[in-house]
Each structure stands twice: as C-alpha cells, then as structure tokens.
Amino acid sequence: AQSVTQLGSHVSVSEGALVLLRCNYSSSVPPYLFWYVQYPNQGLQLLLKYTSAATLVKGINGFEAEFKKSETSFHLTKPSAHMSDAAEYFCAVSEAGGTSYGKLTFGQGTILTVHP
Amino acid sequence: DAGVTQSPTHLIKTRGQQVTLRCSPKSGHDTVSWYQQALGQGPQFIFQYYEEEERQRGNFPDRFSGHQFPNYSSELNVNALLLGDSALYLCASSLGTWGQPQHFGDGTRLSIL
C-alpha cells in the first residue's frame, strides 16, 4: 500500500523568500514520485517527477525536489518565491511495477500563499 | 497539441439522478484515469482504463462505472447520485507504462442538490 503525507496544509512566504513544501511517502516497492500544482478552478499541472534516475529533480518554474530514500521524503523547494507561485501543491506517489499500473495516490495538498 | 479535455465544465444534478462525464486524452496517450477531488482534499483514484478495459479500480462503489472507446476517449458514469458525490472530477491521460506522468484536464465540477 502506498500513502503520502504533506506536512503543513498552509505555507506562507514573502516574495523572494525560499519555498519549502514537505512530502513524505510510504510505499512497499520502489516509488515514482510527482509534484503537481493546482490553480483555482483548474486541473493539476505537473511540476516535476522522480523515476529512479537522479535524486535531485528539476522541474518547471524554478522548482526542484530531492528524493531521499533514507528519510522517505520528496520535499519541493524554490529559492525565490514569486507572486505567481501562489496555488495549491500536491505530492503524489505511484508504485514502480506490480499491479498499480501507475495509479496515483495524492497527499492532502499544501496551499502556498506569497506575500508582497 | 491539445491536452486533456473534459466536458461539461459544470453540472448540477439532484439526488438519485444519473450523470455521464466525458474525457478526451492528450494526443498519443492510450490510458485514461479518473479521480474524484472533494473540496479541500487531494484527488482520489476512481479507476483506470487501458485498451478499452478497466485495469484497476479504487475504493468506489459500483455506482461508479466507466468506458473507454477505441479512440481512447473515456466516459465516467455515476448512478443514483448522492449529496456526497459533489466534487471536482478529474480525468488524466498517460502512456500505458509505469512511471509515465499523468496529464490532467481541468475537470468537471459536479454539484448535487
């Protein structure tokens, strides 16, 4: 069984400050990990993915995430927040192989607020 | 290149009615997954279709059913609607191999009165 925990349902930062959104996962087999962003009244847009290659993954809009197997974590960071980053962010896991067929299990989401 | 498209964008139904939601996958994708996103929650997996067959199903009752057509488009049907079925229904498409990211449509907002 797989699960995702996102620590902090709301994160608030100032424009230009570091963004850190936390994600811990549980999976019985090697995982694939994803971060998605959702703007109001829209679907989910893929930010980045980890699929067992480099542990530091770079995504769109300046975001990156680091896979740490020992900590079962996949935290999302961005060095300098922009107003346009305000949105809800979801971490998701799927299992590599088996009968999951790429089914995604999502965390509860973290709403990012950026103050001027 | 069109992404995932869903219709309708909004729908209002009453308890006990039936509803059909539609999804066209991104060009080149052969797998369609459906998710339910309740207000303030993360999306929950309903089921996945590949080669016109339901390949995997989440923890949803049989009132939720689906179909995939030869052109890979898909429908989600919900019978005997309950107030708790009010949610954003998201369709996602991907290539049918592990690790391939799923691309989402903007969803159908279903409200049950």
Side-chain angles (χ1 to χ4, degrees):
Chain A
Q2 52 195 28
S3 65
V4 174
T5 301
Q6 292 183 237
L7 299 175
S9 58
H10 290 80
V11 170
S12 180
V13 301
S14 298
E15 192 173 20
L18 170 72
V19 175
L20 170 60
L21 304 182
R22 300 178 186 274
C23 171
N24 288 88
Y25 70 91
S26 171
S27 177
S28 57
V29 298
Y32 296 126
L33 294 159
F34 307 85
W35 275 99
Y36 285 87
V37 61
Q38 187 175 35
Y39 297 98
N41 300 314
Q42 293 186 23
L44 280 70
Q45 179 183 4
L46 179 69
L47 280 177
L48 49 80
K49 63 177 181 177
Y50 166 77
T51 55
S52 75
T55 56
L56 182 62
V57 181
K58 294 187 182 300
I60 63 172
N61 302 338
F63 284 94
E64 63 181 35
E66 186 174 8
F67 173 68
K68 292 187 176 181
K69 183 178 179 180
S70 61
E71 300 178 6
T72 61
S73 69
F74 190 58
H75 302 332
L76 181 71
T77 61
K78 182 174 180 178
S80 177
H82 191 272
M83 297 295 289
S84 61
D85 294 327
E88 189 163 17
Y89 292 79
F90 291 94
C91 181
V93 63
S94 71
E95 294 183 342
T99 58
S100 72
Y101 299 112
K103 159 194 166 184
L104 288 173
T105 298
F106 286 87
Q108 292 290 87
T110 298
I111 296 173
L112 175 66
T113 303
V114 182
H115 296 288
Chain B
D1 179 22
V4 178
T5 58
Q6 293 186 242
S7 63
T9 55
H10 293 84
L11 205 51
I12 299 175
K13 292 286 187 178
T14 58
R15 282 178 295 176
Q17 285 189 311
Q18 177 265 342
V19 68
T20 297
L21 311 181
R22 296 176 175 82
C23 172
S24 292
K26 182 178 171 65
S27 177
H29 286 182
D30 56 7
T31 302
V32 173
S33 302
W34 287 91
Y35 294 82
Q36 180 195 65
Q37 185 179 19
L39 200 61
Q41 303 291 320
Q44 298 288 318
F45 176 76
I46 302 175
F47 43 53
Q48 183 183 89
Y49 277 84
Y50 175 71
E51 292 189 344
E52 302 180 50
E53 296 286 333
E54 182 183 290
R55 182 159 69 174
Q56 191 180 25
R57 188 178 184 90
N59 188 26
F60 279 80
D62 292 344
R63 298 186 298 109
F64 289 77
S65 63
H67 189 78
Q68 186 179 34
F69 299 93
N71 66 353
Y72 306 119
S73 66
S74 177
E75 290 182 349
L76 164 66
N77 301 292
V78 187
N79 294 322
L81 287 166
L82 304 174
L83 292 178
D85 295 331
S86 294
L88 180 67
Y89 288 85
L90 295 164
C91 171
S93 72
S94 60
L95 288 172
T97 54
W98 286 282
Q100 295 300 317
Q102 296 185 18
H103 295 254
F104 285 80
D106 283 341
T108 294
R109 174 71 64 186
L110 176 62
S111 299
I112 311 301
L113 302 179

